[in-house]
Every structure is written in C-alpha cells, then in structure tokens.
C-alpha cells in the first residue's frame, strides 16, 4: 500500500458494451476529477439535464441483482462494482464516470476492459495527500449462513473470501489478496462473473440477465463448465468474489485500511458490513497518507470527515 498523494486520470478513455441485466448498449467514459472528489457517476442521455451521483454507500438505493446508485429522483446507474473495483484497485482516488445508459457495461464479465481504459487515460498525482478510512475495531455481520467481518490491519487493505457452493464443479474455494495495483491487475482484474445455468434461466424468465452470455459470464451446470475456452484461473470464482469486494467497499468513499473477510457472501453482505462500519462512529477514523507513514497510530478524527447523512440499508437478491 502506497501512502502518497491523491491521484486522478490524465485524460478521458471510453469503453462500450451492453448491460448484463438490461441488455441495452451503453458507453462509459472515465475522466479526471478534482482533489477530494472521489468517484462521481455522471448519467447522460436523460431528458432535461445530466444527473450526478457520488459513489458512496449512502447513495445505494437498491441491490436487487446489482448495486444501484441513485438520488431522490430515482435510480441512475446499476452494476457499478467492476468499474469501481478497477479504479480503487489501480490506485485512482478521484474520477468521473460518465455513462449514457442505466447500467455499466458488463464487457467480458471482469474488470479487464476498465483497467485497459485506465491505462489508456493515464494516472497522475495531485497536490493533496491521500486520505484513508482506518478501521479501529472489528465489525461483523451475519445474514443467514453468510458471515462478513472487517477488522484492523496494519498493512493496507486485505480481502479474504471463502465460497462454498453445493454445485460440485465450483465447490469450496478460498482466496486472499493484499491490495496493490500490481496484484489487482495480475491476480483478480481478469476474473469473470459466474453463475449456474439453472439460475441464468430463472433470471432470463424474470427479465434479468438479458445481456448475459458465454462471452461475459462463466457458466456451470451440475457436471461441468460450459464455457468452451475454460477458466482463466483454477479458482476464478473466488477471485471474482474478491474483485466484487473491492468494488463494493469502494463505496466507503475513501480507501480502507483494514482486512475484510467474507464467508458465503456477495454484494448484499459486503454492503451490510460497510454500512455497519460507517454507522459506528467509534469503529473508524480518517487519516492522511503522511500520518500513516509516520506512525502506526495515525492522528485522525474518529468517525468524522467522510460520511454525512443517512446510510441506506438497501438489500435485496444477490448475484455474483
């Protein structure tokens, strides 16, 4: 983990594809943003004027099959996790994310296309120190047989994921990652979303996953992997869950200093743990990069400086 100055993108870069649930064509453009701006979605193509929404936990209005961000006038952008994971994973602090449709394009089901766009745009440093949310005590959430916890961690941010599917082809997998741009790019950035053929058929019949295909989803039946090209990693499913964690927890608004662990989790659990953390003003504080480098006990204001207003408890069906 580098405790340095804030960063943004040097220029704009665009990707185009379809939404995995809507099936609609969409173009997404990443671009620069000022110091302390964080990640800002700009929804274009609407009647009237463009609308902006900050990528923070209190702007989540639904998690039915995807994380949906919006404002008091309704939803603005869905399926935000992979592009947010790419920005946070590659060490970008501030960016605009302009999108001309209701859903971030699924691309190949991973963050690879967004990493390529970040590489094309370039990353530049800004004059302000990077700020972090430092986890001060463990926070845990249990939902059914799913368990999630975030705890203090001295070496930056770590994600640990355990999945346990009754499907024998997926089975039980574990993966852990100490986050850095190099490790994100190499180890989880190309891990694709996955699902079971029986679930895909159910989602299609319900009007979801209309843009899903073997080109953007790793699909299993009860006996085998159905994608003819095979897996990118033997444990690609667990790695993709780590990718989702990074994107979901990017909604903290600042990089986290802590270790997150999930068991049988997904977007619903990730959001629940983040919500619980931010709601407990004794569980975190904001620190600057120089303070982190100088001491193992950084000076910061406990529970102040990041989250104002409500923390939305918006939970729903969860898919990878």
């Amino acid at each position: 983990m580098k405790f340095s100055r804030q960063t943004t993108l040097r220029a704009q870069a665009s990707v185009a594809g379809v939404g995995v649930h809507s099936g609609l064509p969409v173009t997404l453009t990443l671009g620069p943003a000022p110091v302390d701006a964080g990640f800002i979605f700009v929804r274009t193509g609407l009647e009237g004027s463009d609308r902006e929404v900050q990528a923070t936990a209190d702007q989540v209005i639904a998690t039915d099959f995807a994380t949906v961000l919006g404002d008091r006038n309704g939803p603005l952008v869905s399926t935000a996790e992979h592009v947010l994971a790419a920005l946070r994973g590659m060490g970008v602090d501030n960016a605009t994310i302009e999108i001309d449709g209701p859903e971030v394009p699924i691309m190949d089901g991973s963050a690879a296309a967004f990493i390529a766009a970040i590489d094309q745009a370039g990353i530049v440093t800004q004059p302000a120190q990077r700020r972090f949310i430092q986890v001060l005590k463990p926070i845990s959430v249990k939902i059914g047989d799913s368990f999630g916890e975030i705890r203090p961690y001295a070496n930056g941010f770590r994600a640990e994921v355990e999945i346990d599917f009754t499907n024998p082809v997926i089975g039980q997998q574990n993966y852990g990652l100490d986050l850095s741009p190099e490790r994100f790019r190499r180890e989880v950035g190309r891990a694709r979303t996955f699902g079971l053929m029986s679930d895909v058929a159910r989602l299609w019949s319900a009007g979801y996953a209309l843009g899903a295909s073997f080109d953007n989803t790793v699909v299993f039946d009860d006996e085998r992997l159905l994608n003819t090209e095979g897996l990118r990693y033997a444990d690609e499913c667990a790695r993709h869950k780590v990718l989702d964690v990074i994107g979901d927890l990017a909604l903290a608004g600042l990089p986290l200093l802590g270790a997150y662990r999930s068991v049988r989790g997904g977007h619903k659990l990730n959001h629940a743990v983040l919500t619980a953390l931010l709601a407990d003003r004794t569980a975190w504080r904001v620190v600057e990069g120089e303070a982190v480098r100088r001491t193992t006990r950084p000076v910061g204001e406990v529970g102040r400086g990041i989250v104002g207003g409500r923390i939305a408890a918006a939970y729903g069906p969860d898919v990878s």
Side-chain angles (χ1 to χ4, degrees):
M1 172 67 70
K2 294 182 179 179
F3 307 112
S4 57
R5 291 184 293 169
Q6 292 182 35
T7 64
T8 190
L9 300 176
R10 184 186 304 276
Q12 291 186 328
S14 298
V15 299
V18 300
V20 68
H21 291 299
S22 67
L24 297 174
V26 60
T27 298
L28 179 146
T29 301
L30 299 175
V35 163
D36 293 333
F39 303 139
I40 304 170
F41 281 94
V42 182
R43 176 68 194 281
T44 67
L46 299 168
E47 292 184 7
S49 60
D50 299 343
R51 287 160 63 189
E52 295 185 358
V53 62
Q54 194 81 27
T56 52
D58 58 331
Q59 299 302 121
V60 174
I61 65 171
T63 55
D64 294 337
F65 305 111
T67 298
V68 181
L69 303 175
D71 58 22
R72 61 185 179 182
N73 295 316
L76 286 174
V77 59
S78 177
T79 319
E81 306 85 33
H82 298 171
V83 67
L84 292 176
L87 289 164
R88 179 65 74 224
M90 295 301 292
V92 178
D93 295 289
N94 306 302
T96 58
I97 310 163
E98 185 177 299
I99 183 170
D100 66 0
E103 188 177 11
V104 171
I106 189 63
M107 308 310 291
D108 72 347
S110 76
F114 305 118
I115 295 171
I118 292 168
D119 289 341
Q120 179 184 340
I123 299 174
V124 294
T125 58
Q126 296 176 288
Q129 287 291 315
R130 177 171 284 157
R131 298 187 300 150
F132 300 83
I133 291 176
Q134 181 190 31
V135 178
L136 300 177
K137 68 180 185 181
I139 296 290
S140 62
V141 173
K142 192 174 188 301
I143 303 175
D145 63 353
S146 299
F147 173 81
E149 179 187 51
I150 192 162
R151 62 187 188 273
Y153 188 63
N155 297 317
F157 177 74
R158 178 172 175 80
E160 302 167 354
V161 164
E162 178 184 326
I163 62 175
D164 187 5
F165 282 75
T166 56
N167 178 282
V169 189
I170 301 174
Q172 185 178 51
Q173 299 179 20
N174 299 273
Y175 197 77
L177 178 77
D178 283 280
L179 185 61
S180 70
E182 297 79 13
R183 292 196 68 184
F184 179 83
R185 182 194 299 271
R186 182 177 67 247
E187 298 186 31
V188 300
R190 295 180 65 249
R192 296 162 293 175
T193 192
F194 66 95
L196 304 178
M197 191 64 203
S198 57
D199 292 337
V200 172
R202 177 176 54 84
L203 290 170
W204 281 340
S205 66
Y208 292 97
L210 300 179
S213 72
F214 291 120
D215 293 328
N216 56 41
T217 306
V218 177
V219 184
F220 302 88
D221 66 13
D222 292 336
E223 298 179 351
R224 61 193 175 94
L225 170 69
L226 300 181
N227 302 67
T228 57
E229 75 276 17
L231 294 172
R232 294 176 176 176
Y233 315 91
D235 52 1
E236 186 167 0
C237 296
R239 292 183 190 231
H240 183 80
K241 288 288 191 179
V242 170
L243 172 68
D244 281 343
V245 163
I246 295 166
D248 289 337
L249 298 191
L251 294 169
L254 293 177
L256 289 166
L257 299 176
Y260 177 79
R261 175 174 174 257
S262 77
V263 179
R264 304 182 188 89
H267 301 306
K268 177 181 178 180
L269 181 69
N270 298 341
H271 189 261
V273 174
L274 179 59
T275 298
L277 172 70
L278 296 178
D280 186 342
R281 296 302 181 97
T282 69
W284 54 271
R285 59 181 166 188
V286 178
V287 295
E288 289 192 347
E290 282 301 318
V292 175
R293 283 198 291 193
R294 284 196 305 267
T295 176
T296 57
R297 299 184 62 189
V299 177
E301 294 184 76
V302 175
R304 294 186 59 192
I306 287 299
V307 180
R310 65 186 178 88
I311 302 293
Y315 309 134
D318 187 40
V319 296
S320 294

